[in-house]
Structure formats: structure tokens, C-alpha cells
Amino acid sequence: MEPVFNLQIAAQAQGDGAAEGSGGQMNAAVYNGAGGLFGFAGGLAREGRVPVTVGTMPTHGPMFALLLVGIIMIVTALTFFPALSLGPIAEHFLMQAGVVFR
């Protein structure tokens, strides 16, 4: 909801009267992507079940659990890696500049 408020402030600051009567346009801009997502979800819901074959992976075994936990750990590590690597890198450059941390 905050972007709509910012658009209204920007339109009032310009003084062109765009903030008056443009609620429908702003709602269309904010909720534009929802229609496509609902259409995509409806298309997936209409599809039938895929029969179990050699190429399908069962979701009730330990292999699925290991892959799921492994992927979650990798994504989490990649999320925190930039923050962990920037600390030592920044400290190295500051040390080269003569700044010492005690």
C-alpha cells in the first residue's frame, strides 16, 4: 500500500491534478501482476495428476528429505555469504590503510 501513497504524493507535488480520480489506475498498477498469477495457478490446477514412472521422484523417502534440507542449507548459506565475506575483506583493506581493531 505504501507505493500508492508515494504515487499520490508525487502527483500532488507536480501539481498536474493526477492524484484526483486516478485511484482505479493506481489499483490496476498495483494489482496488475495478480491476474497473471491467478491465471497461471488456475492452469496448473486444471492439469491432471501425473502417473508415477521411473522419472518421478517420490516425496516420502529419505532422498527427498536430504535434497530438500540440502537445498535449504545452500540457499541460506548463499544468503549470508556476502555479509560474512564483506567483513573480513573490509577489515583487510582497513588494515592495509593503517586502521587497527583492538
Side-chain angles (χ1 to χ4, degrees):
M1 221 43 181
E2 189 171 332
V4 173
F5 183 68
N6 290 339
L7 287 174
Q8 288 174 345
I9 290 174
Q12 289 172 354
Q14 291 175 355
D16 59 359
E20 298 174 12
S22 62
Q25 293 172 352
M26 286 188 279
N27 281 335
V30 171
Y31 299 112
N32 191 19
L37 289 175
F38 283 131
F40 182 70
L44 287 177
R46 273 187 246 111
E47 288 186 9
R49 291 185 68 118
V50 177
V52 177
T53 61
V54 178
T56 57
M57 181 177 184
T59 58
H60 59 275
M63 180 61 115
F64 180 78
L66 282 172
L67 283 173
L68 181 65
V69 170
I71 289 171
I72 290 172
M73 289 177 67
I74 289 171
V75 170
T76 303
L78 289 174
T79 300
F80 288 106
F81 180 72
L84 294 175
S85 64
L86 284 177
I89 291 171
E91 187 174 351
H92 171 75
F93 285 124
L94 287 172
M95 184 178 64
Q96 294 294 325
V99 178
V100 180
F101 297 100
R102 295 180 191 218

